[in-house]
Amino acid sequence: MASTRTILVFQHDASLHTLETTVTAVFPFNALEESSRLLFKDASEKHIVIVTEKTIFHPQGGGQPSDTGVLKGQSGVFTVTAVRTDANGQVLHLGLFEDTSSPFNKGDTVEQAIDVEKRLLYSRLHTAGHVLGASVRHLLEKEIENFDELKASHFPDSAACEFQGSIEGKWKDTIQNKLDGYIAAKMPVKIEWWDEEDFRSRGLERLIPDRNLVPAGEKSRVVNIIGAEVYPCGGTHVDTTDLCGPVMVKKISRKQGNSRVSYVVK
C-alpha cells in the first residue's frame, strides 16, 4: 500500500472539475487498517478503495461532506461514493467498478471527475458558515461572556455554527441582518497560505493551528474573507460572498453554556 501523502489539488485550484492522475494503490475495503475502515460508516466488503497521486476530490472533514464522482480509465469506470483521508495523509476514494469494468492497476492513468452540482452546494454552504461565524463574532464578541467560535457543520441538512457562550434568541434578526450585509457586499473570498508570523502580525494568534496539524516546513491554508474574517480551513469555497446565495438563520439553541446557530442556503 502506498504511504506517500496525496497531493490535494483542490486546495490550490477548486475550479478544476476533472483531473488526470496516476493510480498508486487499489485494494478491497476489508484490506484497510481498522482505523481507516472506521472512517466509512456505510461501506461493505463489496467496496473497493483507490488511492491516486493527486486528487480533486475533497475528503469529508472540516465540517464539509466529501465530493462524489467517477474515475475513468482505459479498463472502465469507478464510481466514487465517499472520500476520506487516512492517518498517513492518503486520500481514500471508496466506491465500486461498473459491471463491465475491469479493476485499475497501480500505475494506470485515470481521469477524475467530480459531481459539480454537489461541489458548488458544499462550497456555498462552507463559505456561508464562515460568513455566519464572522457575523456573530463581530456582533457579539464583546457582548457575550467568554465568547469564542467552536466548530461548524456545513452539511446540507445540518448546517450550523457553534459558539462558546449563551446567545439569546433575541439576537436572531440582528445576526440575519449582519449576515445579509456581508453577503450583499460581494466580499472577495481568498485562499492564502500563512506561517505563524503572518497570524501574529495581524493580531490573530488565536487562530494559529496546532503545530501537529501542519506538516513540517509547510504553511497553513487560510480562507480570508476580505473585510470580514480569516479562518484556517482546508475546504472549498465560492469566490465572493454573494455567490453563497440567500442564507437564512434558522434558529439559535443553547446547551450547557454554548450556543448553536443553524442556517440554510437557498
Side-chain angles (χ1 to χ4, degrees), residues 20-179:
E20 195 172 272
T21 186
T22 304
V23 173
T24 58
V26 181
F27 42 86
F29 171 72
N30 286 350
L32 282 177
E33 295 179 3
E34 183 181 6
S35 59
S36 293
R37 290 200 304 272
L38 292 173
L39 298 173
F40 297 96
K41 291 183 179 179
D42 300 321
S44 72
E45 60 184 20
K46 294 180 181 179
H47 282 94
I48 303 293
V49 173
I50 294 180
V51 181
T52 53
E53 180 185 6
K54 304 174 181 179
T55 192
I56 53 172
F57 282 81
H58 182 283
Q60 181 171 304
Q64 181 171 331
S66 78
D67 284 318
T68 60
V70 295
L71 307 182
K72 301 175 184 177
Q74 285 191 332
S75 60
V77 177
F78 180 81
T79 299
V80 179
T81 56
V83 188
R84 303 289 188 272
T85 305
D86 71 9
N88 298 315
Q90 291 185 116
V91 174
L92 310 175
H93 305 84
L94 179 87
L96 296 167
F97 285 98
E98 291 187 354
D99 291 342
T100 56
S101 300
S102 300
F104 301 151
N105 295 307
K106 182 178 178 180
D108 284 357
T109 297
V110 294
E111 183 186 63
Q112 298 180 339
I114 60 168
D115 182 322
V116 178
E117 190 175 333
K118 278 187 180 178
R119 163 63 71 82
L120 177 58
L121 173 61
Y122 299 159
S123 298
R124 290 173 59 215
L125 281 160
H126 203 149
T127 303
H130 286 336
V131 176
L132 172 59
S135 301
V136 175
R137 173 175 287 281
H138 283 249
L139 285 169
L140 301 180
E141 185 173 22
K142 296 178 181 178
E143 300 285 339
I144 305 293
E145 189 175 359
N146 298 319
F147 176 89
D148 201 1
E149 292 180 72
L150 299 175
K151 59 183 180 179
S153 165
H154 311 296
F155 281 69
D157 297 328
S158 59
C161 298
E162 297 186 23
F163 304 90
Q164 183 174 290
S166 182
I167 301 174
E168 295 180 29
K170 68 180 183 180
W171 286 104
K172 182 171 177 286
D173 289 344
T174 308
I175 293 170
Q176 182 70 64
N177 290 337
K178 185 75 168 177
L179 177 61

Side-chain angles (χ1 to χ4, degrees), residues 9-10 12-18 56 114 116 119 236-237 239:
V9 176
F10 67 85
H12 299 271
D13 186 357
S15 69
L16 287 175
H17 298 152
T18 61
I56 53 172
I114 60 168
V116 178
R119 163 63 71 82
T236 64
H237 294 275
D239 292 335

